[in-house]
Amino acid sequence: MRIDQADPTRRPTSTLPASVPVAVVGAGQSGLAVAYHLRQAGIRCVLLDAGSEVGETWERRWDTLRLFTSAQFSGLPGLPFPGDAAHYPGKDEVVAYLREYAERFDLPVLADHRVLSLRRDGDGYLLTTAHGECRAGQVVVATGAFGTARVPDFAAGLSPDVPTLHTSEYRGASQVPPGTVVVVGDGNSGRQIAAELSETHTVVLSCSEAVSPPLPQTVVGRDMFWWMSVLGVMSLPVSMQAPDPIVGDRVPGLVAEGRMRTVGRITAAEGAELLVADGERVKPSAVIWATGYLTDWSWLDPEMLDEEGQPRHTEGTGVLPGSHYLGLYRMRTRGSALIGFVGADAERAAAAITAADRPSTNSSPTAEGEPA
């Protein structure tokens, strides 16, 4: 039977099961999407999430964040994003949507269950959490593309008197003292924050040497991602992908209006100054590090990692039998880490899990609260 809505007779998942056919690590968009497909296939699973609630990672982003994909391209499998298809959702809307998604499809999320280690255990896996252990026949690592805030090593040379924030800590302009704020990093996040701060501060945006192609938000009345989907750009293999585009970029207009200026790559920090690659020195009143994230994979079985400490997989299929990955940046395509496009990878992973499913999948629950 297909599961198209919550089953009011099913008990909520509240206890870590002793064993389960499939354990999904992470209940962000990737984990929720694969859980949806697994439930559609009748396969029991549990989602183990470090957060206290679904959507917590999104909730911690800055207040005015908006997706650069419209609602039409921001939904997960089985549930379109609500509202006008041409609307660009804010982060609070994303949080509400993810929580509604988990509830609508009765997905078995265990919050506050950070996985401390994942190890091979016979022909399956052993997952250790702060609340105990769980054995799984197959695992899906869906911890997403946002891990630990990355700040360049040279930041240590900046005076402690200069306030700094990483984008993961930034909430709004009120956090930033008056004066000249330098935003280091010119991806979509850095540019959005720089544009916001230009309303209240003098902004200097440090741009990398790599040139990301600017794209308008819409072309001939159509969302840019509509065109990219129709033209097949979103499904191109990773090896054929160009640098990530900057969508709906306001920076060139703000620079032309004199409300912001750009400099080259920041290469060092000395006391109260930042040094630009061309020799310029900038004295900021505050610095925003829009320098991305690092992912710590030390909790994974060493057999699952390569010599650089990264997961060993081919397009999401792990090197160890029964291991799968979702939501990694450009894992298969440009859309592998995007909320509206991760569904394709999730469906593919669920199909592989279903094909390898063991007869024990439909055995009786081993602990109260295990998903049925």
Side-chain angles (χ1 to χ4, degrees), residues 14-205:
S14 57
T15 304
L16 181 69
S19 66
V20 71
V22 182
V24 180
V25 184
Q29 59 254 27
S30 303
L32 295 177
V34 74
Y36 166 86
H37 284 296
L38 290 172
R39 292 214 66 199
Q40 293 286 302
I43 295 179
R44 293 185 296 112
C45 67
V46 67
L47 293 91
L48 305 175
D49 196 71
S52 59
E53 290 186 86
V54 169
E56 188 175 276
T57 299
W58 283 96
E59 200 165 38
R60 292 198 300 263
R61 306 302 297 278
W62 69 92
D63 295 341
T64 61
L65 179 149
R66 290 203 169 273
L67 299 184
F68 53 77
T69 53
S70 64
Q72 179 184 1
F73 298 102
S74 300
L76 294 176
L79 185 66
F81 205 99
D84 186 343
H87 169 63
Y88 291 89
K91 64 117 175 184
D92 291 340
E93 294 173 88
V94 175
V95 172
Y97 171 76
L98 293 177
R99 290 175 181 170
E100 166 65 17
Y101 190 88
E103 183 177 349
R104 173 75 64 91
F105 298 113
D106 218 9
L107 301 181
V109 176
L110 279 177
D112 193 30
H113 275 67
R114 179 184 297 276
V115 174
L116 304 176
S117 70
L118 169 59
R119 297 290 182 265
R120 188 74 168 145
D121 180 46
D123 59 354
Y125 294 87
L126 177 65
L127 299 96
T128 301
T129 78
H131 300 281
E133 295 180 340
C134 173
R135 284 175 170 78
Q138 300 190 67
V139 292
V140 181
V141 177
T143 49
F146 299 103
T148 303
R150 176 187 175 276
V151 175
D153 292 341
F154 66 73
L158 190 65
S159 168
D161 295 331
V162 180
T164 64
L165 289 171
H166 187 268
T167 52
S168 61
E169 303 167 304
Y170 176 78
R171 297 293 178 270
S174 62
Q175 289 176 288
V176 182
T180 299
V181 55
V182 176
V183 179
V184 182
D186 63 334
N188 280 289
S189 294
R191 286 174 178 255
Q192 276 195 32
I193 290 172
E196 173 176 292
L197 289 172
S198 71
E199 302 287 337
T200 53
H201 293 71
T202 299
V203 175
V204 177
L205 175 64

